[in-house]
Structure formats: C-alpha cells, structure tokens
Amino acid sequence: MARRKRTSLVLERAVRRAASINSIDPNLDLGNGLTLPAFSTLIETMRTRENAYNTALSTLDKLYREMLEIESELGDMTEHMLMAVATRYGKSSVEYGMAGGIPKNQRRKRLRGESTTPSTEQPSFVASVESKNGKKPAATS
C-alpha cells in the first residue's frame, strides 16, 4: 500500500490569498516585512518542500516493494539451502542439524490436540464466597 501523499490546506489558502492581494497591488508593502513578493517566495518554498516530500514518499514506497521482493527470494533460497543439505547429507545427519534443520531422529511426535508451544502460565482461580450479610467479597487469584 502506497503511503499517502501530503497536500497542504494552508498552502492552498495562501495561494488564493496571494492572488486576491495581487489584485490590490502587485508590489504591496504592509510594513514589517509583509510584502507580496516575500509572501510569494514563501509560498513557492512551501510548494517545493511539499513536492520534495511527496517524491521522497514515492521513492520510499519503491524501495519498500523491492525489499519485500528480495525478502521473499531470500526466504525461498533459505529453504532450498536447507533442502539441499538434507539431500546431500540426509535429514538425520549432524550437518542437517548444523544447517538449522531438526534431524529426523530428534523430532518428537506430537499427540493430537497438543499445542505447539508449551504453556508456562498457570490458570488463575477465583474464589466466590458469600459472607453472612449477602455481599460477595472481592475476587482473589
């Protein structure tokens, strides 16, 4: 998914305002550095920065897609490398284990319904006891 490009509402409003002020006087000077040429220069600077930012996002999207393609190729080659070691040395060999595989003779058969990762978490029990006045005390674990 491509990254969303940025558009500046402030920039659009400034462009409209500059066009309106230009109709008053193209060289309008309101004092304290508030001139139409300075305003126009700042508008162009913002437009240039926004374009550069959006171009950088497009470049980043392209690099990300290329990286995902290479990552997929790398995963496939990793699997092929392990299978090649298994073909050459066998799945019960020490070399297969050294390459990252689990040798056949070291595999443990799982029982049906057994989870793949052992759970070290103990279940919590909640005691529910009513007191003599009919109110339940707070739950404990």
Side-chain angles (χ1 to χ4, degrees), residues 16 24 28 39 56 60 68 82 106 136 139:
R16 284 193 306 270
I24 298 171
L28 185 65
F39 190 46
L60 187 61
L68 289 179
L82 182 61
Q106 292 181 5
K136 290 186 177 183

Side-chain angles (χ1 to χ4, degrees), residues 11-124:
L11 177 61
E12 291 173 13
R13 187 175 44 192
V15 168
R16 284 193 306 270
R17 176 126 335 129
S20 299
I21 293 173
N22 192 37
S23 67
I24 298 171
D25 181 8
N27 296 316
L28 185 65
D29 185 354
L30 300 171
N32 293 330
L34 299 175
T35 65
L36 187 57
F39 190 46
S40 297
T41 301
L42 192 55
I43 288 171
E44 285 307 312
T45 301
M46 177 58 191
R47 185 175 285 142
T48 302
R49 294 283 196 254
E50 186 178 66
N51 288 338
Y53 176 81
N54 289 335
T55 301
L57 286 180
S58 295
T59 303
L60 187 61
D61 287 337
K62 178 184 174 202
L63 289 172
Y64 182 69
R65 282 191 306 273
E66 290 172 355
M67 184 186 69
L68 289 179
E69 288 174 15
I70 292 172
E71 185 178 41
S72 176
E73 287 178 36
L74 181 60
D76 289 343
M77 189 168 186
T78 300
E79 186 178 350
H80 289 132
M81 294 292 288
L82 182 61
M83 292 297 104
V85 169
T87 302
R88 175 170 282 175
Y89 297 103
K91 285 191 172 183
S92 296
S93 68
V94 173
E95 290 83 2
Y96 183 70
M98 291 170 61
I102 299 173
K104 255 183 163 179
N105 55 5
Q106 292 181 5
R107 291 187 193 152
R108 184 176 69 100
K109 290 187 180 181
R110 286 189 222 123
L111 298 175
R112 201 175 253 185
E114 185 179 322
S115 66
T116 55
T117 57
S119 177
T120 59
E121 192 175 309
Q122 294 180 356
S124 62

